[in-house]
């Protein structure tokens, strides 16, 4: 492993975790948004749809794992990358509120499929992962500084 590979891996993880935090924040901010996007087919507004980040290893595929298994490479990963941001397919919640401007003929309003409790648990997980990666980054930096002091 190169001297800066651990910093590059940690940096990719920090970047992806930061994006996850941003998406979770957007979900929480829009938890009550009944007009998230306009549907041109039905000519009506749809509620905000929860989004989630999909992460993947930066490894190139099966060949990288095969080479690592056959000891041709060090077997150390290359970090993570965000492959896409997907919309959650869970159905919208129905809330009975006949006075709401977006209520249907039965008095129900489609509310976003965002569960604040789930979002908070995801946010706590992301925060812990981010903190762990900062700790790894500081440890790598400390080891490099100690290595530079050997020559004194």
């Amino acid at each position: 492993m190169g001297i800066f590979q651990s910093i590059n891996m940690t940096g990719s993880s920090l970047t992806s975790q930061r994006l996850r935090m941003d998406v979770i924040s957007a979900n929480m901010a829009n938890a009550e948004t009944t007009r998230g996007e306009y549907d041109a087919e039905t000519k009506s507004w749809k509620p905000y749809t929860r989004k989630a980040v999909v992460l993947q290893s930066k490894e190139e595929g099966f060949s990288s794992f095969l080479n690592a298994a056959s000891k041709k490479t060090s077997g150390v990963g290359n970090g993570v990358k965000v492959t896409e941001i997907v919309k959650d397919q869970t159905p919208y919640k129905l809330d009975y509120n006949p006075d709401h401007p977006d209520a249907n003929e039965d008095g129900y309003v489609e509310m976003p499929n965002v569960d604040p409790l789930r979002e908070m648990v995801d946010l706590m997980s992301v925060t812990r992962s981010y903190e762990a990666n900062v700790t790894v980054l500081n440890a790598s930096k400390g080891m490099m500084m100690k290595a530079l002091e050997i020559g004194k």
Side-chain angles (χ1 to χ4, degrees), residues 48-66:
Y48 176 82
T49 305
R50 180 182 180 272
K51 294 174 180 57
V53 176
V54 178
L55 301 177
Q56 182 181 1
S57 171
K58 280 189 178 179
E59 297 293 333
E60 296 300 318
F62 179 74
S63 62
S64 63
F65 293 107
L66 183 64

Side-chain angles (χ1 to χ4, degrees), residues 45 89 102 115:
W45 286 94
Q89 298 300 317
D102 293 327
D115 180 13

Side-chain angles (χ1 to χ4, degrees), residues 34-51:
T34 58
R35 294 186 181 190
E37 65 180 82
Y38 186 73
D39 187 8
E41 286 182 20
T42 62
K43 295 183 180 179
S44 63
W45 286 94
K46 294 287 183 191
Y48 176 82
T49 305
R50 180 182 180 272
K51 294 174 180 57

Side-chain angles (χ1 to χ4, degrees), residues 7-139:
I7 292 177
N8 290 337
M9 288 188 319
T10 304
S12 72
S13 180
L14 288 170
T15 303
S16 61
Q17 296 303 332
R18 174 59 192 207
L19 180 63
R20 282 185 65 202
M21 281 186 208
D22 291 343
V23 169
I24 291 170
S25 298
N27 289 341
M28 290 292 289
N30 290 297
E32 299 291 323
T33 304
T34 58
R35 294 186 181 190
E37 65 180 82
Y38 186 73
D39 187 8
E41 286 182 20
T42 62
K43 295 183 180 179
S44 63
W45 286 94
K46 294 287 183 191
Y48 176 82
T49 305
R50 180 182 180 272
K51 294 174 180 57
V53 176
V54 178
L55 301 177
Q56 182 181 1
S57 171
K58 280 189 178 179
E59 297 293 333
E60 296 300 318
F62 179 74
S63 62
S64 63
F65 293 107
L66 183 64
N67 289 337
S70 64
K71 307 276 190 273
K72 291 183 182 176
T73 61
S74 64
V76 176
N78 290 327
V80 296
K81 63 181 176 180
V82 174
T83 56
E84 62 183 322
I85 298 175
V86 296
K87 291 185 176 183
D88 192 349
Q89 298 300 317
T90 57
Y92 298 119
K93 301 172 193 169
L94 290 177
D95 186 28
Y96 184 72
N97 187 355
D99 296 331
H100 196 281
D102 293 327
N104 61 16
E105 58 276 351
D106 297 328
Y108 288 97
V109 179
E110 283 187 323
M111 298 300 288
N113 56 357
V114 176
D115 180 13
L117 182 62
R118 179 179 181 182
E119 298 301 322
M120 288 304 296
V121 169
D122 286 348
L123 186 60
M124 287 172 46
S125 171
V126 170
T127 302
R128 297 287 186 251
S129 180
Y130 195 88
E131 289 170 354
N133 280 294
V134 168
T135 303
V136 169
L137 184 66
N138 287 334

